[in-house]
Amino acid sequence: MDVKSAFPNGELEEVYIEQPEGFLLSEKEDYVCRLKKALYGLKQAPRAWYAHLGGYLHQQGFKKGIVDSNIYVQIDKDNLTIVEVYVDDIIFGSNDDRLSKNFATKMQSKFEMFLLGELTYYLGLQISQQEKGIFICQAKYIKEMLNKFKMEDCKPVLTPMVTGCKLSIDNSSKDVDQRLYRSMIGSLLYVTTSRPDVMQAVGQVARLQAAPKESHVIVVKRILRYLKGTTEYGLWYPKGKISLFKPLQMQIGQGALMIKRVLVEQHSI
């Protein structure tokens, strides 16, 4: 769901502004106005909105997450309802459809908002809810990233990093634009949300942001070339199973490394 004009819903403590031009009170030009509601552009607005929404959810029996303060959880016997808040975008779900509908009804009675239907796209994540599970990928985001760094026509490779590659501070190589390098790393770090197969390679190149060299950019571009050929890869969450990742087969040179199984015992969405 999407909240219409989220920030004005926030309640401020004491914030004053100068009288707007064209609305000056005659003989009271030195007076100021006290805001009753938050305005867009006001630095206190996001905090006021989150405090107002969090207070309402707390009244409804939700508890704020310890690790992620944007997650709210409500547990009622065997029923679970989870709410994720990102500014004015809210996603929610429950193991009982009646609880989901009840939550949507209460939120619409409290705030002016739109129900956008089943979740399919959220912050660059493409979500496909199927009968046997949920598939999450970032194919659209990866393609946009390749276009951004002019790698849309690059030749794909089979692995994100050469076997035995060891990165270090290379003083003999030419310096590169630090802002561009950091932008590439930032984009790649977000890709690891649904691509654990590049996490180790991205982690290595991310350590070199202080003084990036031309040799480091070559390694980063190899990761982009790997993503070029695997844009549709993602995470598969089977329904009712602990094993969250499908078997992966990675070609290394002429041989093949089979990662048979990855078990994630404690993982939450």
Side-chain angles (χ1 to χ4, degrees), residues 7 42 49 52 89 97 116 131 140 143 147 151 155 167 180-181 188 196 206 228 234 238 251 258:
F7 286 174
L42 194 68
W49 159 242
H52 183 62
D89 292 325
D97 289 339
L116 304 178
E131 183 179 351
K140 183 175 181 294
K143 291 177 182 178
N147 289 331
M151 295 286 290
K155 184 178 180 181
L167 295 174
L180 175 61
Y181 186 84
L188 287 172
K228 166 70 175 179
Q251 300 290 335
M258 175 66 73

Side-chain angles (χ1 to χ4, degrees), residues 16-185:
Y16 299 89
I17 63 171
E18 295 179 353
Q19 296 184 50
E21 292 184 13
F23 296 91
L24 291 173
L25 298 176
S26 59
E27 300 181 358
K28 295 181 180 179
E29 290 82 358
D30 57 337
Y31 277 38
V32 293
C33 301
R34 180 178 177 179
L35 289 177
K36 292 184 177 180
K37 294 290 183 179
L39 300 175
Y40 281 92
L42 194 68
K43 65 179 182 180
Q44 294 94 335
R47 182 173 58 187
W49 159 242
Y50 278 119
H52 183 62
L53 177 62
Y56 176 75
L57 292 176
H58 182 72
Q59 292 176 2
Q60 302 303 315
F62 285 87
K63 292 184 178 180
K64 184 181 293 188
I66 298 175
V67 178
D68 189 343
S69 60
N70 290 329
I71 291 181
Y72 295 84
V73 180
Q74 183 187 61
I75 302 176
D76 182 16
K77 297 180 180 180
D78 295 331
N79 297 321
L80 173 67
T81 305
I82 300 176
V83 177
E84 168 73 18
V85 181
Y86 182 77
V87 191
D88 58 352
D89 292 325
I90 300 175
I91 60 174
F92 62 95
S94 175
N95 58 342
D96 189 332
D97 289 339
R98 292 175 298 177
L99 293 177
S100 295
K101 293 178 181 178
N102 184 46
F103 173 78
T105 302
K106 288 183 177 180
M107 290 294 289
Q108 286 182 305
S109 64
K110 179 66 176 179
F111 306 101
E112 188 176 355
M113 54 178 51
F114 307 100
L115 279 176
L116 304 178
E118 185 177 282
L119 182 65
T120 57
Y121 189 82
Y122 187 72
L123 300 179
L125 297 172
Q126 295 168 246
I127 299 97
S128 174
Q129 302 185 45
Q130 305 171 20
E131 183 179 351
K132 296 183 179 180
I134 299 175
F135 181 69
I136 300 176
C137 73
Q138 293 171 278
K140 183 175 181 294
Y141 176 83
I142 292 174
K143 291 177 182 178
E144 291 175 352
M145 179 181 63
L146 292 171
N147 289 331
K148 177 181 178 181
F149 300 117
K150 301 179 181 180
M151 295 286 290
E152 65 274 13
D153 297 323
C154 65
K155 184 178 180 181
V157 292
L158 297 176
T159 59
M161 185 172 283
V162 178
T163 306
C165 178
K166 295 182 180 180
L167 295 174
S168 61
I169 299 176
D170 187 359
N171 294 324
S172 61
S173 185
K174 295 181 180 179
D175 292 332
V176 295
D177 186 352
Q178 189 181 59
R179 294 179 62 181
L180 175 61
Y181 186 84
R182 288 184 174 181
S183 178
M184 297 172 78
I185 296 300

Side-chain angles (χ1 to χ4, degrees), residues 165-221:
C165 178
K166 295 182 180 180
L167 295 174
S168 61
I169 299 176
D170 187 359
N171 294 324
S172 61
S173 185
K174 295 181 180 179
D175 292 332
V176 295
D177 186 352
Q178 189 181 59
R179 294 179 62 181
L180 175 61
Y181 186 84
R182 288 184 174 181
S183 178
M184 297 172 78
I185 296 300
S187 299
L188 287 172
L189 284 172
Y190 192 63
V191 169
T192 60
T193 304
S194 66
R195 296 295 300 272
D197 52 329
V198 299
M199 190 175 295
Q200 189 268 348
V202 173
Q204 287 200 38
V205 294
R207 300 173 185 173
L208 305 166
Q209 298 182 67
K213 302 290 183 179
E214 198 173 57
S215 58
H216 303 151
V217 175
I218 294 175
V219 180
V220 172
K221 287 185 175 182

